[in-house]
Amino acid sequence: MLAAMPFAPAPTPSGARPAARQGGDACPGALRLHAAADGALARIRVPAGLLTARQARVLARAAAELGDGGLDLTSRGNIQLRGLAPDHGGALADRLRSAGLLPSDRHERVRNIAASPLAGLDGAGHADVQAWARELDALLCADPDAARLSGRFLFGLDDGRGDVAALAPDVTLIAGQDGRAALGYGVGGPALQLAAEDAPRAAVLAAHAFLSARDADGGGAWRVADLSPEHRPRADALAARLAAAGISGTPLPRATPPLGAPPAPGLVPGPHGAHALSVAAPLGRTTVAQWELLAETAAHDGDGELRVTPWRGIVLPGLRAAAAPARLAALAEAGFVTDEDSAWHGAGVCAGRPGCAKSLADVRTDAAAALAGRRGGGLPVYWSGCERRCGHPGGAWVDVLATREGYRVAVRPVPHGPSDGSGGPAEPVAAGRRLAEAVAAARTA
Ligand code: SF4
């Protein structure tokens, strides 16, 4: 029997009707570029964040030759390129196809799969969820109906440590100690226990259940939480759907035990002498030179693989213990966050000015000024240029919101929680030393 399952709590009170989505899902992709204020933006899905060193180099060359020279890491472990010319979409798609990063044009936006980045590397966790991710990705790409999912629908594959389950995925698979798996459908929705080898197929069936519910609900839902109450997930209906496909699923009680933390920056000693390196990209962005250093480190010192994390970090597996400290030092020298006590650890920003026309401030510059020279992080912190707060973290975090009067600083206690947080100054604060102090105080409050 699986222990209590770390499925996140329901985001809305039972029976509450979610706000209706306006218009179609305009989530950007690698083929459907978004016209941002600084040029076209491409979002390249990277299931489980898994890249080979060669694929990473292809992305670096694309950023250098087609984009603005930066690579943004998203809150789902995907990669964004910005500043592309409007006619560069075809050239980008050709490069991605040749590198195996675009296995199905029809499915390119629905391959949103987050997986525990340290699975199999540190002795924690119960299964190699990267194998699940590869199988799930192949199943999605072979499934015409799956192409109807929105670009925001998230599959979360958790190896049992609770890190990915904390992201509140639409469909969650959690590895159990006993070689079995738990399937969660919706946040706070039903959970079923099933055989681990059935898990990827069961996840696709849960996505089918969502599509059926969405169709019956008028077709406007992008995520499970958008469904109206009469179409919310039910354990018996999900179990029947799985049974019809030959998968036995036993209902599990809902539970909300402590959720796991994301990988901390630094060395990750492994069970067989190999080490992994865990680093974070400052404010979620790397330069081409930094990215190429990651690819080179993976190719020459690691096992040739990079894992982009949903917390805007990168894990490099398979380094020899003797070589790992020097390689970590080289990444720190190149500007990566390699120290858990760095104020940059857990800090993020939305696109802000000049990339987003909605932004009320240059949040990247203001965030960098507030973090420079400081030690000790505390809670994750996220700067947003407007109230949409694109890409903000889950769990408890410090919200630094640009307004016309200055930045409002507030601690947000729960995912999708009340809109008025607390823990910061009562009045907006202008960028500068006072803002830096207010943010530092809120992170450690
Ligand atoms: S939060 Fe607002 S300013 Fe920032 S990227 Fe989103 S829409 Fe633009």
Side-chain angles (χ1 to χ4, degrees):
M1 181 73 184
L2 285 164
M5 302 313 304
F7 292 111
T12 54
S14 178
R17 187 178 182 96
R21 295 289 189 185
Q22 299 296 319
D25 165 29
C27 205
L31 299 175
R32 184 203 281 183
L33 307 189
H34 168 67
D38 57 348
L41 176 155
R43 184 174 300 162
I44 299 142
R45 266 61 177 189
V46 184
L50 295 175
L51 290 169
T52 64
R54 177 176 164 267
Q55 288 173 326
R57 288 189 174 115
V58 168
L59 291 174
R61 295 324 313 153
E65 294 164 13
L66 305 177
D68 67 0
L71 297 99
D72 290 349
L73 281 53
T74 79
S75 60
R76 290 169 165 202
N78 295 320
I79 303 291
Q80 273 183 186
L81 305 183
R82 304 188 69 96
L84 292 103
D87 60 349
H88 275 161
L92 175 64
D94 289 345
R95 292 177 186 220
L96 297 178
R97 280 193 198 96
S98 67
L101 289 165
L102 202 51
S104 168
D105 286 8
R106 289 186 62 198
H107 296 81
E108 64 107 350
R109 293 187 319 123
V110 307
R111 302 167 66 227
N112 293 300
I113 303 173
S116 299
L118 293 181
L121 302 181
D122 63 352
H126 309 309
D128 177 6
V129 291
Q130 271 69 32
W132 276 355
R134 291 187 176 93
E135 184 179 349
L136 174 57
D137 186 30
L139 289 169
L140 289 174
C141 288
D143 182 341
D145 214 29
R148 299 198 298 120
L149 292 169
S150 80
R152 297 163 202 266
F153 193 91
L154 178 64
F155 295 90
L157 313 185
D158 194 304
D159 72 351
R161 72 185 70 215
D163 55 351
V164 167
L167 299 175
D170 295 281
V171 174
T172 309
L173 293 175
I174 304 180
Q177 285 175 310
D178 55 0
R180 294 172 69 78
L183 166 71
Y185 172 29
V187 179
L192 301 177
Q193 187 183 41
L194 36 85
E197 61 266 28
D198 291 332
R201 205 156 55 90
V204 176
L205 291 167
H208 284 178
F210 165 74
L211 289 169
S212 299
R214 184 182 77 177
D215 292 346
D217 196 27
W222 296 342
R223 304 196 60 184
V224 176
D226 300 332
L227 293 169
S228 53
E230 59 270 33
H231 296 290
R232 295 260 172 86
R234 287 194 354 250
D236 56 345
L238 181 60
R241 187 178 284 266
L242 265 56
I247 298 175
S248 172
T250 308
L252 286 165
R254 289 184 198 176
T256 55
L259 300 172
L267 289 176
V268 183
H272 306 297
H275 278 41
L277 303 183
S278 171
V279 302
L283 300 179
R285 171 158 261 233
T286 77
T287 64
V288 166
Q290 288 175 320
W291 193 254
E292 286 181 334
L293 178 60
L294 288 172
E296 181 200 320
T297 305
H300 292 127
D301 298 292
D303 62 9
E305 179 184 281
L306 297 84
R307 300 183 183 182
V308 182
T309 81
W311 302 277
R312 297 177 171 90
I314 304 99
V315 170
L316 302 179
L319 281 83
R320 285 181 299 108
R327 301 313 298 172
L328 188 70
L331 293 171
E333 180 72 17
F336 285 103
V337 181
T338 60
D339 176 0
E340 194 172 2
D341 290 329
S342 165
W344 297 79
H345 172 43
V349 294
C350 77
R353 281 190 205 144
C356 179
K358 292 189 175 69
S359 185
L360 298 172
D362 181 351
V363 288
R364 179 171 294 275
T365 297
D366 292 344
L371 296 168
R374 290 192 173 262
R375 297 283 300 164
L379 285 177
V381 58
Y382 198 76
W383 272 259
S384 301
C386 80
E387 294 208 353
R388 291 182 66 175
R389 298 178 174 87
C390 303
H392 72 74
W397 59 290
V398 174
D399 179 21
V400 186
L401 174 68
T403 72
R404 297 194 188 285
E405 293 78 39
Y407 283 98
R408 285 198 177 275
V409 180
V411 179
R412 302 216 166 267
V414 292
H416 315 292
S419 59
D420 55 336
S422 59
E427 300 299 324
V429 184
R433 191 164 60 85
R434 266 198 67 217
L435 177 63
E437 289 169 355
V439 169
R443 295 184 77 183
T444 54

